[in-house]
């Protein structure tokens, strides 16, 4: 399970700049996905051997002051509930504002580890100006400059110290070895209905209200003589106000479940088609190198002719490109149509995820492909790929050794990936390909 650090604060205090410094300027960064929810950012950071997820909660839809403040409040509350460590950022150049005060009042009720960060302390003269923030009574103050990086090293040391220990994976060896299939998607697309249809029991509460599910629910399952864990991801809380920020909550609740899964069943609503938030959640699974099966639910409610399914599939593939080697199943969880086909494809994707190709076979096939279609010469220099091997990692990763790896462009990498898929069948699995000098 991932450990989450949330950056909260009013707009324009430098949260995004700080986030970018953590996720872009550190060589150990694992991944960075922008726009998970509107202009939210989600990324993974590694510091002194410790890995954690960081979320920038900045950016809100424009509206009246009341709506604006409600959105601020809701996001702080969400961070208080879901994050392991909260970073409350203020701006030394403006001093304490009314919004800062309101956020501080909320955060005083927080029982999670909290760090008060005073940003834009770009030179020593501003250190004296940070003292007014002690008025909040939130403990020690951490002066930093997101722009220059000053103070961020010490702050990261403290974050790592406050994070809970990484879970011990051998606590339940039998369960850990079982494949984990996580059901993901926007609220109210039928995630819990799908789980209930499979288990034949009301394992999850199902209502037509978006976001009924509050916690991830694990179900031990046996099908086709295979055992695995089904995880129904949390959607969002039932919302009382129209303007509450539901997307942020949805993604924040799903991160841990996605990261600890092997294969994600991405459910979309056939009556609504592929929405922007569907793409955000799908990208989250892909960037974390998880197996993927797309389930188009409520297909029984769609008026159909001979080409409806193919046209729908074509539109999905156009929007998820370039990762298009993904099973797409049209189903109805409510009517229990094609739900077992979903599991069958999920098991196949899991096998693909764990597939190891013998080095001699890999070289026999891929070197012949490369010989027939070598990388184009650059600046009059010819690139020669001499050897390929699969690296033992959680997802299929291939290492190609060549004389001039820096000259291999993205289109050729895509060609190599397509040929790996064509020859060795990696449907539903993101591939990682590196070119190294030898």
């Amino acid at each position: 399970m991932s450990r989450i650090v949330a950056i909260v604060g009013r707009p324009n205090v430098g949260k995004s700049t700080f986030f970018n410094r953590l996720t872009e300027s550190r060589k150990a960064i694992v991944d960075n996905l922008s726009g998970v929810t509107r202009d939210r950012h989600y990324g993974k950071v590694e510091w002194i051997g410790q890995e954690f997820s960081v979320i920038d909660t900045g950016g809100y839809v424009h509206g009246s002051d009341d709506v604006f403040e409600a959105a601020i409040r809701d996001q702080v509350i969400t961070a208080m509930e879901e994050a392991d460590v909260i970073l409350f950022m203020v701006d030394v150049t403006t001093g304490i504002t009314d919004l800062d005060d309101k956020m501080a009042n909320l955060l005083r009720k927080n029982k999670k580890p909290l760090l008060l960060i005073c940003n834009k302390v770009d030179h020593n003269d501003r250190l004296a100006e940070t003292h007014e923030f002690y008025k909040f009574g939130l403990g020690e103050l951490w002066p930093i400059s997101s722009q220059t990086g000053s103070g961020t090293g010490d702050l990261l040391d403290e974050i790592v110290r406050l994070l809970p220990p990484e879970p011990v994976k051998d606590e339940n060896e039998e369960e850990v070895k079982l494949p984990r299939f996580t059901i993901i998607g926007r609220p109210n697309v039928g995630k819990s209905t799908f789980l209930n249809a499979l288990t034949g029991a009301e394992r999850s509460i199902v209502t037509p209200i978006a976001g009924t599910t509050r916690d991830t629910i694990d179900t031990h399952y046996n099908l086709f003589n295979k055992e695995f864990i089904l995880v129904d991801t949390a959607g969002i809380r039932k919302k009382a106000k129209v303007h509450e920020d539901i997307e942020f909550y949805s993604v924040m609740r799903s991160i841990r479940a996605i990261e600890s899964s092997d294969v994600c069943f991405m459910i979309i609503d056939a009556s609504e088609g592929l929405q922007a938030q569907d793409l955000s959640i799908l990208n989250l699974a892909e960037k974390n190198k998880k197996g993927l099966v797309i389930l188009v639910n409520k297909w029984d409610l769609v008026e159909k002719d001979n080409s409806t399914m193919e046209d729908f599939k074509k539109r999905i593939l156009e929007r998820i490109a370039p990762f298009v080697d993904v099973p797409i199943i049209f189903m109805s969880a409510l009517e229990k149509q094609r739900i077992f086909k979903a599991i069958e494809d999920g098991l196949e994707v899991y096998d693909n995820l764990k597939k190891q190709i013998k080095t001699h076979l890999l070289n026999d096939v891929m070197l012949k492909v490369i010989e027939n279609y070598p990388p184009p010469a650059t600046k009059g220099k010819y690139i020669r790929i001499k050897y390929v091997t699969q690296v033992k990692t959680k997802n299929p990763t291939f290492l190609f050794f060549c004389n001039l790896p820096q000259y291999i462009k993205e289109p050729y990498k895509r060609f190599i990936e397509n040929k790996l898929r064509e020859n060795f069948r990696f449907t539903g699995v993101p591939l990682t390909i590196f070119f190294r000098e030898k």
Side-chain angles (χ1 to χ4, degrees), residues 119-255:
N119 192 26
K120 305 185 186 177
V121 185
D122 302 328
H123 46 77
N124 288 336
D125 294 347
R126 285 186 176 167
L127 272 174
E129 298 168 32
T130 65
H131 294 155
E132 71 168 303
F133 293 98
Y134 280 111
K135 166 188 168 184
F136 290 147
L138 294 173
E140 189 176 349
L141 187 72
W142 295 82
I144 68 160
S145 169
S146 295
Q147 199 70 47
T148 67
S150 170
T152 54
D154 290 340
L155 177 61
L156 280 163
D157 287 344
E158 182 64 9
I159 291 169
V160 166
R161 190 186 71 78
L162 292 173
L163 283 169
E166 290 181 321
V168 180
K169 292 188 178 178
D170 60 355
E171 283 179 6
N172 189 340
E173 260 181 61
E174 185 185 349
E175 290 259 317
V176 168
K177 289 178 183 175
L178 292 177
R180 290 182 67 86
F181 294 165
T182 301
I183 306 165
I184 62 174
R186 288 183 297 115
N188 214 29
V189 292
K191 298 188 295 295
S192 297
T193 308
F194 176 55
L195 178 65
N196 292 341
L198 288 168
T199 58
E202 292 295 317
R203 184 65 181 84
S204 303
I205 300 167
V206 182
T207 76
I209 301 166
T212 303
T213 309
R214 281 285 286 122
D215 300 295
T216 57
I217 298 173
D218 292 10
T219 303
H220 195 133
Y221 202 84
N222 191 309
L223 189 68
F224 308 126
N225 293 320
K226 298 276 182 78
E227 284 189 88
F228 49 90
I229 302 294
L230 271 176
V231 184
D232 179 15
T233 58
I236 52 168
R237 284 180 301 181
K238 209 164 94 174
K239 293 296 181 179
K241 298 184 180 67
V242 175
H243 299 290
E244 288 183 279
D245 191 355
I246 63 174
E247 290 180 287
F248 170 71
Y249 194 90
S250 180
V251 172
M252 195 167 186
R253 293 293 291 177
S254 298
I255 287 171

Side-chain angles (χ1 to χ4, degrees), residues 5 43 46 74 79 84 89 135 171 221 223 225 248 252 255-256 271 300 305 329 348 350 352 363 380 402 408 426:
V5 174
E46 188 180 301
D74 293 334
D84 296 301
M89 184 172 282
K135 166 188 168 184
E171 283 179 6
Y221 202 84
L223 189 68
N225 293 320
F248 170 71
M252 195 167 186
I255 287 171
R256 285 188 177 96
S271 60
D300 54 316
D305 59 32
I329 298 165
E348 186 179 329
Y350 178 77
N352 293 342
N363 281 273
C402 59
I408 293 179
F426 283 105

